[in-house]
Amino acid sequence: MLHASECSISLAMRILLPALAAELADDPRISQTPLVDKGFAAVRRIANGLYATISDFSKGSTTVCNGGFLIGKDAALLIEGFTTPSGAAFQMDALRMVSQVPVKAALDTHYHFDHSMGNSFYGVNNIPLCAHATAAKRIVESYSPMQGADKEAVRAPLEKTVKEAKSDAERAHAQSDLNAATIVFQVVSTSVLSLPNHPLDPAKLPMSVDLGGLTAVLESHPRHSGTDVIARVPEQNVVYTGDLLFSGWYPVCLDEKATLSGWRATLKKFASFDKDTLFVPGHGQLCGQEGIASIREMFDDIAGQAEKMYKAGVPAEEAQHRYVVPDKLRTSPYLPGASPSVRPSPSCIPNGKRPSPNTSPRGRGLENRGG
Ligand SMILES: [Zn+2]
Ligand SMILES: [Zn+2]
């Protein structure tokens, strides 16, 4: 079974990330010069004591997702376990270039492999690792079966789907799933799984983390993966969103625990944050409220098309292949280089029958197909 993020990897590999968004070029909070830039990721200061790690997979898969760190007078907080322990080590080295305060904890914003396969770095370094209370379980359930599995056995059912596709659209989608699954398998089967050891009970969030003159607030908004936790610094209007925000891309991951309505509600909430809020997305470039407006527009379109197909009684499987990216979004700078053919999750369609907006998406997510 495919899990979220798989699709994000295949999509991301085809997309060249734009430079720092023009809207943010003049933001005095953001350092125009990175603290360090290794190609696969660069770290820059984005506010007082706040840093963002922005990945670029076209130059390597050491980190894949974005992250960052927060430095107070007394302690620091690291964001994300990344795709490899080397990725987590890279970020730690960047932190040590600017501060020697003890690390209070690290946070996996959610369980997906691109954010958690580097967790063992934190184990080796005795850094407490926080995540949503169910993240550890989801890592075990999703990824331990892949370890020791036969690659061809994993690929076989997906290859069969490609062969049996009834149309070019179906075939391209199936091939995209196969490519994504192969990448996930390659990463997971060569990783040593490490689990967060400080579960965050969502019922007890939000929770303030005092770093000394800098307070981070951890909040639960589970609608990308069922395990999503964001880190906010309200005093400086900065939010580390994890994959609840894909900046500049189609929101490619819809986990089985994600809901379209829940995710849209979270984005609406982000839109209600201060107008000068700076968002560090799970993937893509830093953005302000314009980035939230853009992804909301995409979600509105998906929901609108799903509703139309639902009313027309289009079957679920067909509905996902019929989805059309509107011209306006195709040319959007927020869809850089993406194929004009992207599809929504079959999950717009409950029980595999008919599409309905605002219901639980299941299984595969939006994917770029072709090319
Ligand atoms: Zn991700
Ligand atoms: Zn994710």
Side-chain angles (χ1 to χ4, degrees), residues 4-5 8-9 64-66 80 109-110 112-115 224 242-243 246 249 253 282-283:
S5 292
S8 71
I9 302 293
V64 178
C65 70
N66 294 336
E80 302 296 12
T109 60
H110 61 299
H112 287 159
F113 80 104
D114 50 322
H115 301 250
H224 163 71
D243 283 0
F246 283 73
W249 308 356
C253 300
H283 299 274

Short mmCIF file of all heavy atoms in Angstrom, two decimals, residues 4-5 8-9 64-66 80 109-110 112-115 224 242-243 246 249 253 282-283, ligand 1:
data_model
loop_
_atom_site.label_atom_id
_atom_site.label_comp_id
_atom_site.label_asym_id
_atom_site.label_seq_id
_atom_site.Cartn_x
_atom_site.Cartn_y
_atom_site.Cartn_z
N ALA A 4 1.53 8.27 2.07
CA ALA A 4 1.72 9.64 1.66
C ALA A 4 3.19 9.92 1.42
O ALA A 4 3.98 9.07 1.55
CB ALA A 4 1.24 10.51 2.77
N SER A 5 3.52 11.03 1.00
CA SER A 5 4.89 11.46 0.80
C SER A 5 5.57 10.75 -0.33
O SER A 5 6.50 11.23 -0.92
CB SER A 5 5.79 11.25 2.00
OG SER A 5 5.44 12.07 3.00
N SER A 8 5.05 12.69 -3.05
CA SER A 8 5.72 13.98 -3.00
C SER A 8 7.12 13.85 -3.55
O SER A 8 7.62 14.74 -4.20
CB SER A 8 5.77 14.52 -1.57
OG SER A 8 6.65 13.78 -0.78
N ILE A 9 7.73 12.72 -3.31
CA ILE A 9 9.10 12.56 -3.76
C ILE A 9 9.13 12.53 -5.29
O ILE A 9 9.90 13.23 -5.92
CB ILE A 9 9.69 11.23 -3.25
CG1 ILE A 9 9.64 11.21 -1.74
CG2 ILE A 9 11.11 11.05 -3.75
CD1 ILE A 9 10.52 12.19 -1.06
N VAL A 64 15.61 15.93 1.94
CA VAL A 64 14.33 15.88 1.22
C VAL A 64 13.28 16.85 1.77
O VAL A 64 12.76 17.68 1.04
CB VAL A 64 13.74 14.45 1.15
CG1 VAL A 64 12.39 14.47 0.43
CG2 VAL A 64 14.70 13.52 0.41
N CYS A 65 12.95 16.75 3.05
CA CYS A 65 11.95 17.70 3.58
C CYS A 65 12.64 18.93 4.15
O CYS A 65 13.85 18.96 4.32
CB CYS A 65 11.07 17.04 4.64
SG CYS A 65 11.92 16.69 6.20
N ASN A 66 11.86 19.94 4.44
CA ASN A 66 12.37 21.13 5.12
C ASN A 66 12.37 20.91 6.63
O ASN A 66 11.74 19.99 7.13
CB ASN A 66 11.51 22.35 4.80
CG ASN A 66 11.58 22.75 3.33
OD1 ASN A 66 12.55 22.45 2.65
ND2 ASN A 66 10.54 23.43 2.85
N GLU A 80 12.39 18.21 12.64
CA GLU A 80 12.46 17.10 11.67
C GLU A 80 13.62 16.13 11.85
O GLU A 80 14.71 16.51 12.26
CB GLU A 80 12.48 17.60 10.21
CG GLU A 80 11.30 18.45 9.80
CD GLU A 80 9.93 17.76 9.82
OE1 GLU A 80 9.79 16.65 10.36
OE2 GLU A 80 8.98 18.38 9.29
N THR A 109 7.58 16.44 12.68
CA THR A 109 6.25 17.06 12.51
C THR A 109 5.18 16.02 12.19
O THR A 109 4.00 16.26 12.42
CB THR A 109 6.25 18.11 11.39
OG1 THR A 109 6.62 17.47 10.15
CG2 THR A 109 7.17 19.27 11.70
N HIS A 110 5.60 14.87 11.62
CA HIS A 110 4.69 13.74 11.42
C HIS A 110 5.51 12.51 11.07
O HIS A 110 6.73 12.60 10.96
CB HIS A 110 3.63 14.06 10.36
CG HIS A 110 4.13 14.37 9.00
ND1 HIS A 110 4.97 15.43 8.72
CD2 HIS A 110 3.93 13.75 7.79
CE1 HIS A 110 5.23 15.47 7.43
NE2 HIS A 110 4.63 14.45 6.84
N HIS A 112 5.78 10.50 8.40
CA HIS A 112 6.20 10.12 7.04
C HIS A 112 7.71 9.94 6.91
O HIS A 112 8.48 10.68 7.50
CB HIS A 112 5.71 11.15 6.02
CG HIS A 112 4.24 11.08 5.79
ND1 HIS A 112 3.50 12.12 5.28
CD2 HIS A 112 3.36 10.07 6.01
CE1 HIS A 112 2.23 11.75 5.19
NE2 HIS A 112 2.12 10.52 5.63
N PHE A 113 8.08 8.97 6.06
CA PHE A 113 9.47 8.53 5.99
C PHE A 113 10.44 9.66 5.67
O PHE A 113 11.57 9.66 6.15
CB PHE A 113 9.61 7.41 4.95
CG PHE A 113 9.66 7.89 3.53
CD1 PHE A 113 10.86 7.92 2.83
CD2 PHE A 113 8.52 8.35 2.89
CE1 PHE A 113 10.91 8.38 1.53
CE2 PHE A 113 8.57 8.81 1.59
CZ PHE A 113 9.76 8.83 0.91
N ASP A 114 10.00 10.61 4.86
CA ASP A 114 10.94 11.68 4.49
C ASP A 114 11.21 12.62 5.66
O ASP A 114 12.12 13.45 5.59
CB ASP A 114 10.44 12.45 3.25
CG ASP A 114 9.00 12.92 3.33
OD1 ASP A 114 8.15 12.17 3.86
OD2 ASP A 114 8.72 14.04 2.87
N HIS A 115 10.45 12.47 6.74
CA HIS A 115 10.64 13.31 7.93
C HIS A 115 11.19 12.51 9.11
O HIS A 115 11.43 13.07 10.18
CB HIS A 115 9.31 13.95 8.35
CG HIS A 115 8.72 14.81 7.27
ND1 HIS A 115 8.66 16.18 7.34
CD2 HIS A 115 8.21 14.48 6.05
CE1 HIS A 115 8.11 16.66 6.23
NE2 HIS A 115 7.83 15.64 5.42
N HIS A 224 -2.94 16.18 7.60
CA HIS A 224 -2.12 15.71 6.47
C HIS A 224 -1.81 14.22 6.62
O HIS A 224 -1.76 13.49 5.64
CB HIS A 224 -0.82 16.52 6.39
CG HIS A 224 0.25 15.88 5.55
ND1 HIS A 224 0.18 15.80 4.17
CD2 HIS A 224 1.41 15.25 5.89
CE1 HIS A 224 1.25 15.17 3.72
NE2 HIS A 224 2.00 14.81 4.73
N GLY A 242 5.31 21.69 8.87
CA GLY A 242 5.37 20.32 8.37
C GLY A 242 4.60 20.25 7.06
O GLY A 242 4.43 21.28 6.37
N ASP A 243 4.11 19.08 6.71
CA ASP A 243 3.50 18.91 5.38
C ASP A 243 2.06 19.40 5.27
O ASP A 243 1.39 19.17 4.26
CB ASP A 243 3.57 17.44 4.95
CG ASP A 243 4.95 17.05 4.47
OD1 ASP A 243 5.84 17.93 4.47
OD2 ASP A 243 5.15 15.89 4.09
N PHE A 246 2.49 22.66 1.48
CA PHE A 246 3.45 22.45 0.39
C PHE A 246 3.51 23.78 -0.32
O PHE A 246 2.54 24.17 -0.95
CB PHE A 246 2.94 21.39 -0.59
CG PHE A 246 3.08 19.99 -0.10
CD1 PHE A 246 2.26 19.50 0.89
CD2 PHE A 246 4.02 19.15 -0.65
CE1 PHE A 246 2.39 18.19 1.33
CE2 PHE A 246 4.15 17.84 -0.22
CZ PHE A 246 3.33 17.36 0.76
N TRP A 249 3.79 23.84 -4.65
CA TRP A 249 3.47 22.60 -5.31
C TRP A 249 2.02 22.27 -5.09
O TRP A 249 1.42 22.73 -4.14
CB TRP A 249 4.16 21.40 -4.71
CG TRP A 249 5.58 21.45 -4.53
CD1 TRP A 249 6.47 22.41 -4.89
CD2 TRP A 249 6.31 20.43 -3.89
NE1 TRP A 249 7.71 22.02 -4.53
CE2 TRP A 249 7.64 20.82 -3.91
CE3 TRP A 249 5.94 19.21 -3.31
CZ2 TRP A 249 8.63 20.03 -3.36
CZ3 TRP A 249 6.92 18.44 -2.78
CH2 TRP A 249 8.26 18.85 -2.81
N CYS A 253 0.33 14.90 -1.02
CA CYS A 253 0.14 13.78 -0.11
C CYS A 253 -1.22 13.77 0.55
O CYS A 253 -1.55 14.67 1.28
CB CYS A 253 1.16 13.82 1.00
SG CYS A 253 2.80 13.75 0.39
N GLY A 282 6.55 22.17 4.74
CA GLY A 282 7.21 20.87 4.77
C GLY A 282 8.05 20.64 3.54
O GLY A 282 9.07 19.96 3.57
N HIS A 283 7.61 21.23 2.43
CA HIS A 283 8.35 21.15 1.17
C HIS A 283 8.13 22.46 0.41
O HIS A 283 7.07 23.05 0.50
CB HIS A 283 7.83 19.99 0.31
CG HIS A 283 8.01 18.65 0.98
ND1 HIS A 283 9.17 17.91 0.89
CD2 HIS A 283 7.18 17.94 1.78
CE1 HIS A 283 9.04 16.80 1.60
NE2 HIS A 283 7.84 16.78 2.16
ZN ZN B 1 7.09 15.34 3.45
#
